Amino acid sequence: GVVINNLYAGIYLAWDIGASATENYTGWDATNQLGYVYATNSNYYGICAVSPANASSYRAVNNPSEVWGNQFTDARKYQFFVDGFLVTDGTSPSDWSQQIGVGPFSLQPEATQTVAFALLGGVNLNDLKANAQAAREVYLPVAVDETPTPERFELAQNVPNPFHTSDNRQ
């Protein structure tokens, strides 16, 4: 088998929020590893890295200049992963998309790598942040019970026995 190096996993999302897709904004909240998109007087929508908990890249993608006209090639998408957090905010109204990624990973033959992202919505940015935190809490593995396991099990005579005077029943 072949080792796969510099493998990234990610999601590209093209949002059309509000009455006009060309009047959207986008941003990045590093604390919650959350990329978001919104329009004036609209709900907020976004994506966050869940597992691994830290994204390795986020890109606010300006569709007119970077996607339209068949410019959004596989090589460009990969470069956005490698670039990390080069363009994280779209503060001017436009048609924005977003790309978030985790990696790079190196996979040995037959190995696997699990990644998870949460797609979110909220009535405002604070609500969206709370939903990102809740998504992580739901996804986190359940804590393992650390209760010690008994070393032996023993069944002893029941004393006193409230039902029989003897355990030698026929």
Side-chain angles (χ1 to χ4, degrees):
V2 175
V3 175
I4 300 172
N5 291 308
N6 297 317
L7 177 66
Y8 291 86
I11 296 180
Y12 168 81
L13 298 167
W15 300 94
D16 291 334
I17 310 298
S20 173
T22 60
E23 294 184 18
N24 289 177
Y25 303 87
T26 185
W28 172 251
D29 173 47
T31 301
N32 292 292
Q33 298 292 288
L34 169 67
Y36 55 91
V37 176
Y38 64 98
T40 303
N41 299 320
S42 79
N43 290 339
Y44 279 62
Y45 302 93
I47 185 166
C48 73
V50 174
S51 179
N54 291 315
S56 59
S57 65
Y58 174 79
R59 179 73 171 227
V61 181
N62 185 271
N63 292 333
S65 65
E66 297 175 306
V67 176
W68 296 351
N70 297 321
Q71 300 177 69
F72 204 49
T73 63
D74 288 345
R76 176 168 258 184
K77 293 172 198 170
Y78 184 80
Q79 190 61 47
F80 287 173
F81 287 132
V82 173
D83 287 346
F85 299 89
L86 188 62
V87 179
T88 57
D89 294 308
T91 56
S92 298
S94 189
D95 186 1
W96 291 98
S97 295
Q98 54 188 177
Q99 179 178 311
I100 189 170
V102 293
F105 303 107
S106 291
L107 291 182
Q108 298 297 320
E110 314 249 350
T112 62
Q113 176 68 49
T114 301
V115 300
F117 299 96
L119 295 173
L120 306 161
V123 295
N124 56 40
L125 184 54
N126 285 335
D127 188 40
L128 190 70
K129 289 177 182 181
N131 291 340
Q133 293 165 0
R136 282 203 185 83
E137 290 172 10
V138 168
Y139 187 82
L140 291 175
V142 176
V144 176
D145 184 3
E146 297 293 332
T147 306
T149 304
E151 292 181 18
R152 68 176 197 192
F153 176 78
E154 179 180 340
L155 183 61
Q157 175 61 43
N158 52 338
V159 176
N161 184 339
F163 301 106
H164 296 284
T165 56
S166 170
D167 277 343
N168 298 328
R169 289 175 253 159
Q170 302 281 331

